[in-house]
């Protein structure tokens, strides 16, 4: 199973597919080509009996810093035909267990994609953030629905409106991840869990995953689509342009001129 992009690496061993986001010089920010490669790998793995479990991981100091902001400023789409949506859909519909191993930064979709993994392991120095409002954007990947559901309205409002960074302990307390391990140990722990899952009865595992999600599956997709429509519009907004330009220019964003 070959990745179509050098910055997304794949490796199958003992029925476990490891997908590694590897663009450390940009803190693993995701370009359209990287989303496409991950979507292709997941679609292929869904059908491949040689894959029973997927591990999604990054590099030492970043899981992913989210969407590449230069890509977004350059006009890359996030609508339904876009690579971002194709990736979200591939992970959302993926029938086998997915385990995330998080080291370093998990920003934006780096946090929201964890809501669609079955198990997430975070290192104790991992840093999470939902900076959508700070960027003039809005929540994506059903996070506006799933976050209040897993952590309550007040905490979800805090994380989404203030958009501040939070640590692995907090991520575990609010049910974004399952377990916190020492720095450098997330992948090893994920591999242990994946090996255990890969030995279990595969149909029973897939059915259990499906049943666990049946209550929210259809509504979740509807919400992903609704959010993606808003997100796409926000990417055209002056508020986003100011925020992304400010990030590139390494200065704070100034929203004082907006109504
Ligand atoms: N898109 C584009 N480039 C990014 C990026 C992103 N999401 N995240 C990091 N980079 C780039 C930086 O611009 C920097 O480039 P430079 O070396 O040319 O200056 C390089 O990657 C290293 O990042 P830097 O910001 O210097 O690392 P840091 O350790 O100080 O901070 C983050 C790490 C993740 C906190 C910070 O990079 C950040 O906030 N990134 C943006 C996250 C974001 O808003 N994502 C979009 C969500 S929709």
């Amino acid at each position: 199973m070959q990745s179509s992009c050098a910055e997304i690496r794949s490796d199958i061993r003992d029925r476990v597919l490891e997908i590694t986001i590897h663009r450390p010089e940009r803190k693993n920010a995701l370009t359209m080509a990287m989303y496409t490669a991950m979507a292709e790998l997941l679609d292929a793995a869904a059908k491949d009996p040689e894959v029973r479990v997927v591990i999604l991981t990054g590099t030492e100091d970043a899981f992913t810093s989210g969407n590449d902001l230069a890509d977004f400023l350059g006009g890359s789409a996030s609508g339904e035909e876009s690579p971002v949506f194709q990736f979200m859909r591939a992970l959302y519909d993926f029938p086998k267990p997915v385990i995330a191993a998080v080291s370093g930064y998990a920003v934006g979709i780096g946090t929201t994609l964890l809501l669609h993994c079955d198990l997430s392991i975070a290192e104790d120095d991992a840093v999470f953030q939902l900076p959508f409002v700070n960027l003039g954007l809005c929540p994506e990947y059903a996070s506006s629905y799933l976050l209040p559901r897993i952590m309550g309205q007040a905490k979800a409002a805090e994380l989404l409106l203030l958009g501040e960074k939070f640590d692995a302990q907090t991520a575990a307390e609010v049910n974004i991840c399952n377990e916190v391990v020492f720095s450098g140990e997330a992948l090893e722990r994920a591999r242990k869990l994946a090996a255990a899952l890969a030995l279990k009865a595969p149909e029973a595992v897939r059915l259990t995953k499906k049943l666990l999600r049946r209550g929210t599956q259809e509504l979740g997709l509807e919400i992903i689509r609704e959010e993606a429509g808003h997100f796409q519009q926000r990417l055209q907004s002056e508020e986003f342009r100011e925020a992304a330009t400010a990030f590139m220019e390494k200065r704070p964003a100034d929203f004082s001129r907006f109504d």
Side-chain angles (χ1 to χ4, degrees), residues 57-62 101-104 121-126 168 179-192:
T57 193
T59 48
E60 201 180 322
D61 65 352
V102 180
S103 316
I121 312 301
E123 293 180 4
D124 56 7
D125 52 359
E179 239 181 88
V180 180
V181 296
F182 291 124
S183 186
E185 293 183 1
L187 185 55
E188 191 190 319
R189 177 69 180 141
R191 283 176 176 156
K192 271 208 182 106

Side-chain angles (χ1 to χ4, degrees), residues 64-66 105-116 127-148 150-152 154-167 170-171 174 176 227 231:
T64 167
S65 62
Y105 290 106
V107 180
I109 198 166
T111 294
T112 60
L113 75 76
L114 301 177
L115 306 173
H116 306 286
V127 176
F128 301 79
Q129 190 180 14
L130 296 159
F132 304 113
V133 167
N134 303 351
L135 290 166
L137 298 171
C138 66
E140 39 92 288
Y141 217 172
S143 56
S144 64
Y145 170 66
L146 291 172
L147 291 177
I150 64 169
M151 64 182 69
K155 196 69 193 174
E158 179 189 320
L159 297 184
L160 281 171
L161 286 174
L162 296 176
E164 288 171 1
K165 295 182 173 74
F166 54 99
D167 63 17
T170 306
V174 299
I176 287 177
E227 291 169 339
F231 199 96

Side-chain angles (χ1 to χ4, degrees), residues 17-69:
L17 168 67
E18 260 179 49
I19 300 178
T20 305
I21 306 170
H22 196 276
R23 197 188 177 209
E25 71 286 1
R26 284 278 177 275
K27 304 286 174 192
N28 293 340
L30 297 167
T31 60
M32 295 301 133
M34 291 163 76
Y35 281 117
T36 298
M38 289 195 291
E40 288 168 352
L41 286 169
L42 287 171
D43 287 342
K47 294 182 216 121
D48 186 343
E50 279 311 303
V51 177
R52 289 192 174 179
V53 185
V54 171
I55 293 176
L56 188 54
T57 193
T59 48
E60 201 180 322
D61 65 352
F63 179 57
T64 167
S65 62
N67 291 293
D68 186 297
L69 289 170

